[in-house]
Amino acid sequence: TLLIDHGALTIGYPELKFSGGRGGKIRVGYAENLFVPGTAKKVNRNDIEGKQFLGVTDVIQTDGSANRTFRPTWLRTFRFIQLDIQTGDEPLTVND
């Protein structure tokens, strides 16, 4: 699991470029801010310690191809992106 703080609230079509990883799965989550665990209470966006990620998620099943690009078909609004990567039969490389 990798949590990325983009540093600013953003609206757009983010891209994830990757290669390999046959049999794996990538969950890409988008959130405007983090939450107090077990609640729907938002906190200051700069306060991330001990907070919980809740947001819209895209799931990508990796097929092992080289130079793949994932782009959602609809806008995403986010400051935080969380990548949950489950490897499969072969190594996965996140290129960008």
Side-chain angles (χ1 to χ4, degrees), residues 1 5 9 13 16 18-20 25-26 33-34 36-37 43-44 48 50 55 59 61 63 70 72 77 80 84-85 87:
T1 299
D5 181 351
L9 193 60
Y13 296 91
L16 177 66
F18 59 94
S19 296
K25 181 175 12 177
I26 305 171
N33 55 286
L34 303 180
V36 174
V43 297
N44 182 311
I48 63 171
V59 179
Q61 300 289 333
D63 64 2
F70 170 78
T77 302
F80 298 95
D84 291 315
I85 300 172
T87 57

Side-chain angles (χ1 to χ4, degrees), residues 3-64:
L3 178 65
I4 300 167
D5 181 351
H6 190 267
L9 193 60
T10 303
I11 299 173
Y13 296 91
E15 289 185 350
L16 177 66
K17 297 181 180 187
F18 59 94
S19 296
R22 181 184 325 246
K25 181 175 12 177
I26 305 171
R27 289 179 161 303
V28 185
Y30 313 90
E32 296 177 33
N33 55 286
L34 303 180
F35 295 83
V36 174
T39 73
K41 182 179 178 190
K42 296 180 182 180
V43 297
N44 182 311
R45 288 185 176 112
N46 296 320
D47 183 16
I48 63 171
E49 199 66 38
K51 302 306 181 271
Q52 181 179 16
F53 183 94
L54 297 172
V56 173
T57 303
D58 292 311
V59 179
I60 306 158
Q61 300 289 333
T62 56
D63 64 2

Side-chain angles (χ1 to χ4, degrees), residues 77-94:
T77 302
F78 60 92
R79 172 173 169 171
F80 298 95
I81 295 177
Q82 182 168 298
L83 298 176
D84 291 315
I85 300 172
Q86 179 181 356
T87 57
D89 301 333
E90 61 182 48
L92 173 76
T93 301
V94 176

